């Protein structure tokens, strides 16, 4: 006998995962009512919701990071500093450092 999930249980699992994710998101400037983006900052694994910057360069500046110290990605694709960020984007910021 195999275990198969029904669409109802799949939907419940998806809702539960979204609720758990939302519970861990830190909201930056909650008074801002305009467009926002969600950012996963690594390696801290910290989720932030913040007012939408127009470019990845502005995103790094808002996070207090220099362009040389972090990579920005959207949907698995790296963004150059001049690339536009759209409302409701889910972004990844990966801090990078070299030791030498």
């Amino acid at each position: 006998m195999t275990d198969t999930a029904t669409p109802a249980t799949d939907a419940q699992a998806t809702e539960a995962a979204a609720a758990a994710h939302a519970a861990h998101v830190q909201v930056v400037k909650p008074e801002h009512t305009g467009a926002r983006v969600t950012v996963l900052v690594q390696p801290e694994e910290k989720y932030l919701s913040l007012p939408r910057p127009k470019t990845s360069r502005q995103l790094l500046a808002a996070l207090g990071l220099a362009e040389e110290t972090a990579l920005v990605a959207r949907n698995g694709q790296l963004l150059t500093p001049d690339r536009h960020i759209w409302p409701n984007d889910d972004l990844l910021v990966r801090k990078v450092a070299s030791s030498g």
Side-chain angles (χ1 to χ4, degrees):
M1 179 175 216
T2 59
D3 230 2
T4 58
T6 64
T9 58
D10 286 344
Q12 291 170 343
T14 302
E15 288 177 20
H21 171 74
H24 297 289
V25 175
Q26 177 185 350
V27 178
V28 178
K29 295 187 181 180
E31 67 279 1
H32 177 80
T33 58
R36 302 187 75 82
V37 294
T38 301
V39 180
L40 169 59
V41 181
Q42 289 182 337
E44 295 90 349
E45 298 298 320
K46 181 166 70 171
Y47 285 94
L48 301 173
S49 173
L50 53 123
R52 179 186 73 94
K54 293 184 180 179
T55 64
S56 56
R57 177 178 287 124
Q58 290 178 351
L59 171 63
L60 292 175
L63 296 173
L65 299 170
E67 290 177 30
E68 304 82 32
T69 64
L71 300 172
V72 179
R74 173 180 48 218
N75 298 329
Q77 294 187 344
L78 290 176
L79 301 180
T80 57
D82 60 334
R83 290 294 301 269
H84 284 277
I85 293 174
W86 306 109
N88 302 315
D89 268 351
D90 287 321
L91 304 165
L92 168 71
V93 172
R94 174 74 175 151
K95 294 179 186 177
V96 295
S98 65
S99 57

